[in-house]
Amino acid sequence: MVEKARRVAQAHSASVAKAHDAGVKIAMGTDAGVGAHGENLEEIELMAANGMSTAHALRAATSTAAQLIEEPCLGNLERGATADLVLLQGDLHREGVTQLRGRVRGVWQAGERVR
């Protein structure tokens, strides 16, 4: 089972990289049964590790995801938006998107701080 999981992971990584290189819009999401809620920041790190730039990986978790599910009030910081956000320490564009869980400084949902 472990070997099969490794093969699938390698194939998945390759397909994500090919899709990104081909210009396919990629969004971060959850199957809600695969991993615990609140633990999905690692997906951004995995996208960057598979060839996406920091900017593309961050957009996959925000604006691109909102575009693909056709939710204009999500994924951006504009007047009238829902205002769900995660505040991270550091300059992600300069430092990259590694160890994101350790960089969380606050979480807001619908404009209210929840962490």
Side-chain angles (χ1 to χ4, degrees):
M1 286 178 63
V2 171
E3 180 56 35
K4 182 178 178 182
R6 286 188 183 124
R7 281 195 317 266
V8 171
Q10 290 171 350
H12 180 70
S13 293
S15 67
V16 168
K18 285 180 184 178
H20 175 65
D21 290 344
V24 173
K25 288 186 177 184
I26 297 172
M28 184 176 127
T30 178
D31 292 341
V34 177
H37 287 290
E39 301 294 321
N40 53 350
L41 280 176
E42 180 183 4
E43 191 170 338
I44 297 171
E45 295 174 24
L46 291 171
M47 287 187 280
N50 286 294
M52 292 177 77
S53 69
T54 295
H56 277 108
L58 292 171
R59 283 189 206 114
T62 56
S63 58
T64 301
Q67 289 170 359
L68 291 172
I69 63 169
E70 299 179 350
E71 286 289 344
C73 290
L74 301 176
N76 62 69
L77 294 175
E78 297 175 359
R79 181 172 292 223
T82 300
D84 291 348
L85 75 103
V86 176
L87 178 65
L88 300 167
Q89 179 179 4
D91 182 344
L92 301 182
H93 292 287
R94 192 180 76 236
E95 299 165 14
V97 288
T98 58
Q99 301 176 359
L100 291 178
R101 287 181 53 198
R103 299 168 100 174
V104 174
R105 295 299 170 252
V107 178
W108 285 259
Q109 186 174 20
E112 299 291 324
R113 188 170 185 152
V114 295
R115 178 174 174 230

